[in-house]
Amino acid sequence: MSGHIVLTSHPRRRAGAFFDIHWGAPTAAERGPVVASLTNAAQRNAIGTHAGSYAVYRALAVASGQLKQDHKPDLTDTAPAEAIGPHPQWSDPQKIVSLDPWGHRVGEVFAAEIAAGADIRPTIAITKAHINMPELAAAIAAGRLKPDGDILHANGDVRVTKAAIDPVWYLPGLADRFKLKESALRRALFEQTAGMFPELVTRPDLKVFLPPIGGSTLYFFGDMTKLGKTETKIACRLHDECNGSDVFGSDICTCRPYLAHGIEVCIEMAQQGGVGLVIYNRKEGRALGEVTKFLVYNARKRQLGGDRAETYFARTECVAGVQDMRFQELMPDVFHWLGITRIDRWASMSNMKHGALVEAGIEVVERVPIPDELIPADARVEMDAKKAAGYFSTHTPDAAELARPKGRTLTE
């Protein structure tokens, strides 16, 4: 070294080494691959690294000698277990800005580049499995669900296809989505990560960013080949992570009960010849994080008068500064990836989620609330607070209502 610190980890561009990305191009070849691996820095055309939320663990594995720094994955037999796309939305650069629509097909569409030595890695994987939850056995016993021996078995096993998606952000499109200047978005991302990614402000030619955040898992019920067809009826539960409820059964919220109910709705739709879809996003505590979430729990329970609906959101704002950081504006991208333009049964009462879908041009026919008998007693404060704040609704507005100008708040 010559005594100075190089701010960017990317070498200067050399002819023939750098893959250009044309986001929203009609084919994978015209779009170009996203290269965020570290084995050949000259070929990198994205900021960050693959599986960004695990990058520090990978660094520890390299530092401790458990992982070779130049390891390249062997993608033999890793192709998707089910085909998805391409759909028309893939070639509209405004429809998808937070994931790579070709991310599950890199082994196929960039086979020549990989064979020539390029380290191009999937950002989406699709496999098959079975799931089973005690609530499904209870639904069978209660007669709400009926085993068919195909999608749902008598022991509660459910046949599913599932997809894991790592986020891939196209920064110009992301800035447009939030009505920001791209430079302002880059500066905020740079500053609020304490300069973790200097290329955000030093390399405006790099337009793609793999953020170090959790991704999504999709669970499909029924025949996936029907996706993207206008006649296919779709049921969906969009669920944002709640570890305490989803995994450990904490009863202070309705998250696991609504997740289980949403799966019921999806199974029913699949049994009727449609497709059910559960989207599970890693956005713990409304993307505020679990530490913040538990601090808010303490504040709510210890305040004078105890936990009350009228102070539910105020206590969150006191600790976190905002009520919600999930930013559902990015959420419709996954529906565009799947070619979905209409959801017939939407297992959600959230106006934020519903509004984001409608603004993205996705029709919602029916909103399905959680049955009252499935709401835990301790979750009543949450439900009452969200209803009072206009956060929850079961009403599906007609075209005239949707056309009326309206304000927007985080709790809509």
Side-chain angles (χ1 to χ4, degrees), residues 21 23-24 34 45-48 93-94 96-99 167-190 197-213 330 333:
I21 295 178
W23 200 266
V34 173
N45 59 10
I47 303 164
Q94 295 184 333
I96 301 176
V97 301
S98 63
L99 61 89
V168 177
W169 288 3
Y170 178 58
L171 294 174
L174 202 79
D176 287 345
R177 186 77 59 89
F178 286 94
K179 297 179 173 56
L180 301 170
K181 289 184 177 180
E182 184 184 339
S183 59
L185 172 63
R186 286 174 176 265
R187 174 61 63 178
L189 290 170
F190 173 74
F197 301 97
E199 295 85 3
L200 285 165
V201 292
T202 61
R203 293 291 304 272
D205 58 316
L206 299 179
K207 300 296 186 181
V208 173
F209 176 41
L210 278 64
I213 59 175
L330 298 178
D333 289 22

Side-chain angles (χ1 to χ4, degrees), residues 38-306:
L38 302 172
T39 55
N40 187 340
Q43 292 183 343
R44 283 170 52 85
N45 59 10
I47 303 164
T49 65
H50 288 292
S53 62
Y54 294 95
V56 174
Y57 287 111
R58 188 165 58 245
L60 285 175
V62 170
S64 63
Q66 297 180 48
L67 175 65
K68 291 182 179 179
Q69 187 170 346
D70 60 352
H71 171 75
K72 291 171 64 174
D74 179 355
L75 298 179
T76 303
D77 293 332
T78 63
E82 287 278 2
I84 291 180
H87 294 292
Q89 293 93 322
W90 293 17
S91 57
D92 183 339
Q94 295 184 333
K95 293 289 188 183
I96 301 176
V97 301
S98 63
L99 61 89
D100 178 5
W102 300 98
H104 57 308
R105 298 180 60 181
V106 298
E108 167 198 352
V109 296
F110 300 118
E113 290 85 350
I114 293 172
D119 189 0
I120 305 169
R121 306 189 182 191
T123 56
I124 301 173
I126 303 171
T127 190
K128 289 182 177 291
H130 287 82
I131 64 170
N132 195 315
M133 298 172 66
E135 290 90 342
L136 298 179
I140 292 172
R144 296 196 306 273
L145 287 178
K146 299 187 183 302
D148 55 68
D150 179 21
I151 295 165
L152 176 64
H153 295 271
N155 66 350
D157 280 354
V158 186
R159 179 173 57 83
V160 298
T161 300
K162 58 183 183 179
I165 302 176
D166 279 340
V168 177
W169 288 3
Y170 178 58
L171 294 174
L174 202 79
D176 287 345
R177 186 77 59 89
F178 286 94
K179 297 179 173 56
L180 301 170
K181 289 184 177 180
E182 184 184 339
S183 59
L185 172 63
R186 286 174 176 265
R187 174 61 63 178
L189 290 170
F190 173 74
E191 292 178 346
Q192 295 304 312
T193 58
M196 186 185 297
F197 301 97
E199 295 85 3
L200 285 165
V201 292
T202 61
R203 293 291 304 272
D205 58 316
L206 299 179
K207 300 296 186 181
V208 173
F209 176 41
L210 278 64
I213 59 175
S216 304
T217 309
L218 279 55
Y219 290 82
F220 301 91
F221 304 78
D223 184 357
M224 287 181 57
T225 64
K226 297 179 178 180
L227 287 172
K229 299 177 180 178
T230 56
E231 66 270 20
T232 301
K233 289 195 172 182
I234 303 289
C236 180
R237 166 65 184 168
L238 178 75
H239 192 90
D240 294 328
E241 180 181 28
C242 178
N243 182 66
S245 178
D246 297 341
V247 178
F248 293 99
S250 172
D251 62 357
I252 198 171
C253 62
T254 60
C255 295
R256 182 180 173 105
Y258 216 151
L259 176 61
H261 172 63
I263 291 173
E264 277 192 47
V265 172
C266 288
I267 292 171
E268 290 172 347
M269 182 62 78
Q271 289 177 328
Q272 294 166 11
V275 176
L277 170 63
V278 171
I279 301 172
Y280 194 91
N281 293 321
R282 290 342 187 269
K283 295 179 179 179
E284 179 65 62
R286 299 191 216 116
L288 302 172
E290 202 165 37
V291 169
T292 295
K293 183 178 184 177
F294 286 9
L295 293 174
V296 172
Y297 284 167
N298 285 344
R300 284 170 49 193
K301 293 174 182 178
R302 290 171 178 167
Q303 66 186 333
L304 186 64

Side-chain angles (χ1 to χ4, degrees), residues 314-327:
R315 297 310 299 147
T316 301
E317 287 196 57
C318 286
V319 176
V322 295
Q323 297 176 6
D324 196 314
M325 289 198 307
R326 286 174 290 182
F327 293 108

